[in-house]
Amino acid sequence: MRIFLIAFLCMATSTAGLAADTLARARETGTLRLGFRADAPPYSYRTTSGEPSGYIVDLCREVAAGVKKAQGLPSLKIDYVEVSSTARLDALRDGKIDILCDPTSMTMSRRAIVDFSLPTFIDGAGVLHRTNDLSRLEDLRGKKIGVLRGTTTEDVLKATLTQLGIEAEIVPMQAHPDGVRSLSAGKIDAYFADRGILSYHLLNSENRSGMKLSDQYFTFETYALALPRGDEKLRLLVDATLAELYRTDRVKQIYARSFGSFPPDQFIRALFVINGVPK
């Protein structure tokens, strides 16, 4: 029995030692590795000059600044590691990156392999339409509606129209810019996609004044920074950094860089209020 207890304690100690300690590794190497996507604007993408950019990437930069301050590492190097949508969580789990800075939705199945920070964004399917053309979904009856081919948004759109008994022509698109251009040119009457993506393309459209983003959400997804599982010190520092941003006006400046003038819609405002946790 004594031998069994000793073996059990040794195993427990060994397992505890496997827990990630990102901050200790950053102190030893002088580097913090931020995973980002090249293809997920306005949240996480690569600019034409090759620089990582986006709203969530900017939040990660604030976190990196928090790590520098908390760990006393003024020369901490930020290493940006590009990850794909299919391998991003594996890269975090396998220790190739320290923080995942992209629009990753929190789900229970994902929490089995990674941890998550406080929420960074609430997004969901929305509709972009020409000004004054749409006040309710029923106004789409008999219209042409664009949506990105093979997405969950396409499935939700079809199901919603069927449920409401609205007959309309669904026009699949290969890319979001194609949908926005088709709407601007009058080839379709509305375009459905994630609201954050629509906001980005509307902000960068040459015909911004002729289009409007509806306030209505048709689905909801909560994004958060994915973190190494079991790294409580890192998670506390990340959450403290985000909470401070939400409590102050600094988050407004970060938001405006990617989405335009503040304030955002009611759900994002609520997210900032709810997650602006006191010190």
Side-chain angles (χ1 to χ4, degrees):
M1 185 67 175
R2 182 179 180 183
I3 295 176
F4 172 79
L5 288 175
I6 293 174
F8 176 80
L9 290 174
C10 289
M11 181 177 67
T13 302
S14 175
T15 302
L18 295 176
D21 192 342
T22 303
L23 299 180
R25 194 202 63 79
R27 288 195 300 270
E28 294 171 2
T29 65
T31 302
L32 185 68
R33 300 166 300 176
L34 303 182
F36 80 101
R37 297 256 302 280
D39 59 350
Y43 305 106
S44 181
Y45 63 100
R46 191 185 292 278
T47 65
T48 54
S49 62
E51 294 296 319
S53 187
Y55 176 70
I56 297 181
V57 172
D58 284 343
L59 292 181
C60 276
R61 290 191 175 107
E62 294 291 334
V63 169
V67 172
K68 286 183 181 182
K69 181 178 180 181
Q71 299 297 303
L73 301 170
S75 60
L76 179 68
K77 177 186 175 183
I78 307 303
D79 186 10
Y80 294 98
V81 182
E82 183 177 331
V83 295
S84 67
S85 60
T86 55
R88 53 187 170 165
L89 295 179
D90 293 337
L92 183 63
R93 181 197 60 193
D94 297 341
K96 297 178 181 178
I97 59 176
D98 299 318
I99 304 174
L100 178 57
C101 310
D102 83 328
T104 295
S105 298
M106 288 192 292
T107 66
M108 296 308 297
S109 60
R110 287 173 175 172
R111 287 181 63 182
I113 57 175
V114 299
D115 281 341
F116 286 102
S117 69
L118 291 174
T120 56
F121 208 83
I122 296 177
D123 204 354
V127 58
L128 187 67
H129 58 92
R130 287 190 298 278
T131 306
N132 300 325
D133 273 4
L134 177 66
S135 59
R136 55 179 187 159
L137 276 180
E138 285 75 7
D139 294 334
L140 292 173
R141 197 180 308 274
K143 304 291 187 178
K144 292 184 178 181
I145 309 172
V147 66
L148 193 64
R149 185 189 302 274
T151 59
T152 54
T153 303
E154 182 181 16
D155 296 335
V156 170
L157 174 61
K158 291 179 178 179
T160 301
L161 294 178
T162 299
Q163 182 180 5
L164 296 176
I166 299 172
E167 294 186 6
E169 180 181 350
I170 305 298
V171 184
M173 298 288 173
Q174 295 296 330
H176 292 303
D178 297 336
V180 176
R181 282 193 294 266
S182 294
L183 176 63
S184 178
K187 296 180 180 179
I188 58 176
D189 300 293
Y191 184 66
F192 276 75
D194 285 352
R195 283 180 50 83
I197 293 172
L198 292 176
S199 295
Y200 172 81
H201 287 289
L202 178 60
L203 181 64
N204 291 277
S205 173
E206 296 179 354
N207 188 31
R208 290 168 54 186
S209 61
M211 294 183 290
K212 181 180 179 181
L213 180 58
S214 172
D215 292 333
Q216 186 172 2
Y217 281 80
F218 299 94
T219 62
F220 288 96
E221 294 186 44
T222 302
Y223 300 154
L225 302 182
L227 308 169
R229 186 167 173 78
D231 195 338
E232 296 181 359
K233 294 179 182 178
L234 176 65
R235 181 178 179 182
L236 179 60
L237 194 154
V238 170
D239 285 350
T241 301
L242 293 176
E244 182 178 359
L245 290 175
Y246 299 156
R247 287 195 308 268
T248 66
D249 287 341
R250 292 175 61 199
V251 73
K252 297 180 181 180
Q253 301 168 5
I254 298 171
Y255 181 95
R257 285 202 293 268
S258 292
F259 297 101
S261 60
F262 203 87
D265 64 45
Q266 58 182 331
F267 296 104
I268 304 303
R269 292 199 300 270
L271 181 147
F272 293 158
V273 172
I274 294 170
N275 291 286
V277 183
K279 293 182 178 180

